[in-house]
Amino acid sequence: DLDYDAWLQETPLRGLACPPPLRALVVFGSPSEPVLETAAAEWTRAVQAAFGERPVRLQPSLDAYPDAPFVAMGLVPELPLGLRELAAKALEAAVSDDAYAIVSTGGNIAVVAHTPAGLLYGAFHLIRRLRLGQPLHEPCVSSPHNALRMLDHWDNADGTIERGYAGQSLFYRGGQIDFDERRVADYARLLASIGINAIAINNVNVHPIETRFLTEAYLPGIARLADIFRRYGIRLFLSINFASPVDLGDLPTADPLDARVEAWWRAAADRIYRHIPDFGGFLVKADSEFRPGPFTYGRDHKDGANMLARALAPHGGLVIWRAFVYNCLMDWRDRRSDRARAAYDHFVPLDGLFLDNVLIQIKHGPIDFQVREPVSPLFGGLRSTNVMLELQITQEYTGQQRDVCYLAPMWKQVLDFDTHARGEGSTVAEIARGALFGRPHGGMAGVANVGDSPNWTGHSLAQANLYAFGRLAWDPSLDPAEIAREWAQLTYGDEADVVRTVEAILMASWPAYEAYTAPLGVGFMVNPGHHDGPNPEGYEYSKWGTYHYADWRGIGVDRTMATGTGFTGQYHEPVRSLYEHLETCPDELLLFFHHVPYTHALHSGKTVIQHIYDTHFDGVEAVAWMIEAWRRLAGRIDPVRFERVLARLLDQYDRAVEWRDVINTYFYRKCGIPDDRGRLIYP
Ligand code: BDP
């Protein structure tokens, strides 16, 4: 199954002879360094796959170059003198330990870095060039934008995955740490190849079994997982249950200011580090959606996070504390209570009070991973606190990996969004990495979209989302279309028409999904619980705070300062005014910020209701086009992969039709305004 190799295909490169330097490999560095060995092994494997020839491993020597041309991989201090100077110079400007450079000397190619991890990323870069047919010799230097490039797994010990659409967990079965070592290693190499360097291996909703992960019963198994990821430069994190001291039966309280509780967590941290010396730290969902937290004891998030941070600090561990905190028992009749406000309202008053090894992980939007949301104003609100951007790679609200929905263009908009927190240029990308406010920690986390299905992600095209997440976490300046192209070529080979078509399908997919689902930023309208498929009032009269307020006159949530919930006031100017006023609010977010009559004219010139009708028809047409485009690739993609995607696209068509008809009919019946193209018939 070629899907298993994802973007690291091992098919021979047709019609190419092995370039001479690729016939030999010389590694400069301590041979006992596992990540360095991984780098060498990956390169060797890639060359062998491409040319059927295994590079000869030459013995490094500090005074003489080998006679034959070669590829070198080396840590700067271990390099022979001339090369060392060249390498040091190339890496001069690179601040990160994970940076690498490619330098070329007299026909040879050298991948150089300050750390083994840097070499691993450099090796994968060279592999990418090889598979993309790019010049191998070209000098370059690359340094990751984000220090933390992390995946959050929402895997449960029983093997299920919360919001998982690609089978069962790769790590657990039946309440035990139980995994296929080869599979996990193959997963780790996929992640390393896109620069991922951290992984939280269990769900943020921590159940009784995973609470026991902190005990001797589970730590040896977790340490075996950590061993595998370590070889690929990936540090392991655990999601923890804030009430662990109570739930494990050790203490009567989990009050963060109780000395016994702090001592308990210190002991827990010490125990973990005995098993996993490079353990990353804790990921915490507290006081959110019925999870326990410091509020139970009249304490706040700072008290909770700092207590855990003190336990981890002696070992260099981090606390990643989620900002996804809101009252999930809201009252829809109270227009002033607005879930969108919650994260900012909770965390901004605590700015500056968190310890230096705490990061606040913020979902990109203020609500919950909808197909369209504004960027969370909390990014511009915290100045003296480490933050991290949380994205959802798993397609909970974007088609559940039955529909294709390439999310990189959405993420790119988030990263480029200018908060104006320190004037123009205060982008989320600069804030998340910690640079804008000079913070010691920062990064990006994505909720993983993989499971044990043979192609990792259920929908093969959803692999592109995982790939793009890693590439953007490394370099947010990359263009999503280019990433799509790169992914398509690495995955399906270099036939131009195939690459172009796959890129076009991917790039059309998010707009299409948005078109046939909830309109104009209003969100939700999904079936409660599993969050898939249309249900216009599924959440309208429930407690979760996700309302659209549609009645016979109009729709949308008034979040203005003038007449609404005041949410717009959480943004800096000029963003605040942009969203506050109907005249300037971008169409795609209109219903997120304003309640308007169906006859309100958009900037596009259409009325809201006609826009809804039209986009829903257009969205279905877009899926029909994707099917046609994919079908034209028959015979040019291997049949297994071709049919698998085709089946998903055909299913998507039916789903899009259902969305279209349910949403359009709903609004038609609400307002009675006919479609000006006569496509709706009142039953
Ligand atoms: C929501 C999911 C829920 C998660 C929650 C979270 O529906 O399963 O537990 O987010 O992020 O999107 O904590």
Side-chain angles (χ1 to χ4, degrees):
D1 188 339
L2 291 171
D3 265 336
Y4 186 83
D5 289 335
W7 52 84
L8 295 176
Q9 292 294 310
E10 309 226 290
T11 45
L13 288 178
R14 279 163 304 160
L16 280 181
C18 186
L22 275 53
R23 301 215 168 102
L25 172 66
V26 51
V27 177
F28 298 98
S30 150
S32 61
E33 190 39 84
V35 175
L36 200 151
E37 276 312 307
T38 306
E42 287 296 337
W43 174 248
T44 303
R45 179 171 167 177
V47 172
Q48 182 161 25
F51 306 108
E53 242 177 86
R54 199 180 163 79
V56 193
R57 182 89 171 247
L58 302 174
Q59 280 318 304
S61 145
L62 278 183
D63 11 83
Y65 284 130
D67 291 337
F70 60 89
V71 167
M73 286 183 189
L75 298 171
V76 175
E78 316 276 343
L79 295 169
L81 195 57
L83 188 53
R84 195 188 317 156
E85 278 165 4
L86 206 63
K89 199 155 181 312
L91 286 164
E92 221 163 43
V95 280
S96 165
D97 281 350
D98 291 348
Y100 61 84
I102 291 177
V103 296
S104 142
T105 54
N108 303 313
I109 303 164
V111 183
V112 297
H114 289 299
T115 64
L119 281 185
L120 182 61
Y121 303 129
F124 277 119
H125 182 77
L126 206 57
I127 292 170
R128 198 157 50 227
R129 280 185 176 178
L130 181 66
R131 303 293 311 187
L132 293 173
Q134 295 170 351
L136 297 173
H137 282 85
E138 197 149 291
C140 80
V141 49
S142 183
S143 189
H145 178 92
N146 290 293
L148 265 174
R149 305 174 299 277
M150 180 159 179
L151 283 190
D152 291 352
H153 274 256
W154 288 358
D155 296 25
N156 302 313
D158 66 5
T160 60
I161 302 177
E162 181 153 330
R163 313 306 178 189
Y165 311 105
Q168 298 285 106
S169 172
L170 293 169
F171 310 139
Y172 318 113
R173 265 182 286 252
Q176 297 302 321
I177 316 282
D178 182 357
F179 55 88
D180 172 345
E181 239 171 87
R182 227 202 91 206
R183 183 99 206 236
V184 174
D186 285 341
Y187 180 48
R189 75 187 274 267
L190 280 178
L191 299 188
S193 75
I194 50 172
I196 300 295
N197 67 351
I199 188 167
I201 58 163
N202 63 309
N203 191 357
V204 288
N205 296 317
V206 183
H207 310 103
I209 305 183
E210 299 98 47
T211 301
R212 295 175 55 215
F213 279 11
L214 307 183
T215 68
E216 289 295 345
Y218 283 88
L219 282 171
I222 294 169
R224 285 195 298 121
L225 275 173
D227 291 343
I228 297 176
F229 284 111
R230 183 180 302 111
R231 295 204 301 271
Y232 290 88
I234 299 168
R235 280 173 91 182
L236 188 137
F237 287 68
L238 288 174
S239 296
I240 58 103
N241 166 2
F242 196 80
S244 296
V246 178
D247 289 2
L248 291 173
D250 294 332
L251 291 177
T253 176
D255 180 352
L257 298 191
D258 187 310
R260 291 168 301 172
V261 173
E262 177 148 352
W264 190 94
W265 282 105
R266 269 180 203 278
D270 295 347
R271 187 162 61 241
I272 296 170
Y273 280 92
R274 275 199 297 278
H275 289 273
I276 309 169
D278 59 350
F279 179 65
F282 296 146
L283 174 61
V284 194
K285 173 175 179 177
D287 289 313
S288 166
E289 300 185 330
F290 311 110
R291 305 321 300 163
F295 287 178
T296 312
Y297 307 97
R299 314 299 185 193
D300 61 24
H301 294 290
K302 136 197 65 87
D303 300 325
N306 289 348
M307 181 273 293
L308 295 173
R310 282 192 296 272
L312 293 167
H315 307 281
L318 300 173
V319 173
I320 300 177
W321 190 272
R322 296 177 80 225
F324 184 63
V325 177
Y326 68 100
N327 174 11
C328 60
L329 300 172
M330 286 190 176
D331 182 346
W332 57 267
R333 289 160 302 186
D334 175 5
R335 294 283 298 262
R336 301 294 302 186
S337 82
D338 179 4
R339 174 167 162 183
R341 296 187 55 123
Y344 186 102
D345 285 346
H346 277 291
F347 285 91
V348 167
L350 303 176
D351 190 21
L353 303 178
F354 292 96
L355 292 176
D356 263 356
N357 60 331
V358 176
L359 296 97
I360 302 299
Q361 182 170 297
I362 308 170
K363 286 191 183 185
H364 67 83
I367 304 266
D368 196 9
F369 299 135
Q370 298 305 292
V371 69
R372 174 76 67 173
E373 282 188 53
V375 167
S376 169
L378 189 53
F379 288 105
L382 294 175
R383 298 168 165 267
S384 310
T385 303
N386 303 321
V387 301
M388 209 170 154
L389 167 63
E390 180 177 320
L391 301 171
Q392 196 180 41
I393 312 171
T394 193
Q395 290 171 238
E396 176 179 2
Y397 292 100
T398 50
Q400 307 211 337
Q401 282 143 249
R402 289 174 68 181
D403 301 28
V404 53
C405 189
Y406 176 57
L407 294 165
M410 176 207 282
W411 300 336
K412 178 75 173 170
Q413 287 183 6
V414 171
L415 289 161
D416 286 349
F417 179 78
D418 193 346
T419 66
H420 289 267
R422 285 185 81 179
E424 215 170 307
S426 305
T427 60
V428 169
E430 286 307 300
I431 291 170
R433 77 191 290 209
L436 191 75
F437 296 114
R439 301 300 313 164
H441 295 287
M444 272 168 69
V447 181
N449 65 344
V450 301
D452 69 356
S453 64
N455 67 341
W456 304 97
T457 49
H459 201 313
S460 307
L461 298 183
Q463 289 183 358
N465 282 328
L466 182 57
Y467 184 81
F469 173 80
R471 301 287 285 133
L472 283 173
W474 186 279
D475 182 1
S477 77
L478 294 175
D479 169 15
E482 221 161 273
I483 298 174
R485 204 149 53 233
E486 187 179 285
W487 176 80
Q489 190 175 343
L490 291 171
T491 305
Y492 293 113
D494 51 14
E495 215 181 300
D497 203 30
V498 173
V499 173
R500 249 197 317 270
T501 302
V502 173
E503 178 199 340
I505 290 174
L506 290 175
M507 291 307 288
S509 62
W510 174 45
Y513 194 80
E514 181 176 23
Y516 61 74
T517 58
L520 296 166
V522 83
F524 284 85
M525 306 191 107
V526 290
N527 286 303
H530 63 87
H531 296 166
D532 191 32
N535 187 340
E537 295 191 343
Y539 276 106
E540 200 53 23
Y541 303 101
S542 78
K543 54 193 163 36
W544 292 91
T546 57
Y547 317 118
H548 54 63
Y549 298 105
D551 60 16
W552 65 277
R553 286 169 303 199
I555 179 173
V557 190
D558 184 350
R559 294 195 159 103
T560 62
M561 293 187 293
T563 52
T565 68
F567 169 71
T568 54
Q570 295 183 345
Y571 291 93
H572 297 279
E573 288 292 7
V575 183
R576 177 188 300 177
S577 296
L578 182 88
Y579 292 151
E580 174 77 11
H581 303 295
L582 255 184
E583 307 74 53
T584 49
C585 185
D587 283 350
E588 70 270 14
L589 286 169
L590 183 74
L591 302 181
F592 192 94
F593 287 107
H594 297 274
H595 186 88
V596 297
Y598 294 108
T599 50
H600 172 82
L602 297 169
H603 300 298
S604 69
K606 282 184 189 173
T607 61
V608 166
I609 190 66
Q610 194 57 44
H611 171 94
I612 293 175
Y613 295 152
D614 287 350
T615 49
H616 283 75
F617 284 103
D618 293 349
V620 171
E621 286 313 302
V623 179
W625 171 83
M626 290 182 208
I627 293 170
E628 280 317 295
W630 185 262
R631 278 204 163 118
R632 282 197 296 274
L633 302 182
R636 284 184 286 164
I637 289 178
D638 64 285
V640 173
R641 292 195 294 175
F642 178 80
E643 293 297 336
R644 188 179 283 152
V645 170
L646 182 61
R648 295 263 161 167
L649 287 172
L650 293 172
D651 174 50
Q652 179 172 0
Y653 183 82
D654 294 342
R655 290 156 57 75
V657 166
E658 187 194 2
W659 267 105
R660 177 194 69 194
D661 293 345
V662 171
I663 298 293
N664 278 348
T665 306
Y666 173 76
F667 284 112
Y668 186 26
R669 287 195 190 165
K670 277 263 152 177
C671 69
I673 302 172
D675 167 32
D676 65 13
R677 293 173 57 190
R679 289 163 295 188
L680 297 171
I681 297 154
Y682 212 98

